[in-house]
Amino acid sequence: MKKYVKKILLGLFVVLIVIQFFPVEYNRSEEATPADISTALQVPADVQTIFTTSCYDCHSNNTKYPWYSKIQPGSWFMANHIAEGKEELNFNEFGNYSKRRQKSKLKSIASQIKDDEMPLFSYTLIHRNASLSEAQKQKVLNWVKNLLENY
Ligand code: HEC
């Protein structure tokens, strides 16, 4: 029995080593972002910091990769979230959205934050500084609320 366990562990270890040789393509862009939400709208600095710290890794063209996020299978998992997240909402491209789409995304940002759906739980487990305090959440919610009154 013990021999069996050892073999399984060794097998898992080998698999872990092997998958490190299949890295993902990183979500990085050197291009300027003239349509970024911070240019398209008046975003107060503290709200923008919240977006940059807690959302941009999955919702922009530039993810910050700490060393541990480069280890497989974590980075596959992350790449999947980035692809999906960017498709739904890309802060770097916000200015290119139609007015109507911008409005609906702003509403969606507020509801996702209010319901603690975003940032994704699996992400805040590892990126501790990305979780939002009540005060931070309120800041974003107030900003969206005021903004939508004039949209
Ligand atoms: C770890 C990656 C990740 C992070 C970090 C993250 N998101 Fe998301 N987000 C996703 C994924 C994946 C989806 C699409 C699937 C879903 O809705 O769960 C999504 C969907 C959304 C949507 C829905 C878009 C729509 O059209 O309804 C909004 C809004 C959103 N995120 C806002 C945010 C905000 C605001 C933050 C930061 C406070 C944030 N997200 C942080 C991955 C992420």
Side-chain angles (χ1 to χ4, degrees), residues 60-144:
S60 82
N61 298 330
N62 243 309
T63 304
K64 292 203 180 76
Y65 291 94
W67 65 266
Y68 49 81
S69 70
K70 293 184 179 166
I71 297 170
Q72 309 293 9
S75 65
W76 288 340
F77 190 60
M78 180 84 183
N80 209 16
H81 280 156
I82 293 168
E84 264 187 66
K86 251 172 79 166
E87 203 176 284
E88 298 263 353
L89 167 69
N90 189 334
F91 282 101
N92 287 161
E93 320 227 320
F94 194 87
N96 294 335
Y97 295 167
S98 68
K99 201 90 174 160
R100 196 189 148 115
R101 183 143 193 244
Q102 291 185 358
K103 195 172 168 182
S104 106
K105 292 299 167 191
L106 285 167
K107 279 187 190 160
S108 185
I109 289 170
S111 72
Q112 297 282 335
I113 287 184
K114 191 159 161 243
D115 298 341
D116 288 322
E117 298 281 347
M118 291 285 151
L120 285 182
F121 178 66
S122 59
Y123 176 80
T124 53
L125 271 184
I126 297 169
H127 299 76
R128 304 301 306 193
N129 66 335
S131 30
L132 301 179
S133 67
E134 279 309 313
Q136 285 179 310
K137 281 163 57 177
Q138 210 49 56
K139 260 191 194 127
V140 179
L141 295 182
N142 286 341
W143 174 69
V144 172

Side-chain angles (χ1 to χ4, degrees), residues 17-34:
I17 300 288
V18 169
I19 62 176
Q20 304 310 319
F21 291 98
F22 296 87
V24 296
E25 208 174 296
Y26 291 124
N27 178 40
R28 279 204 198 108
S29 161
E30 301 293 319
E31 281 173 39
T33 52

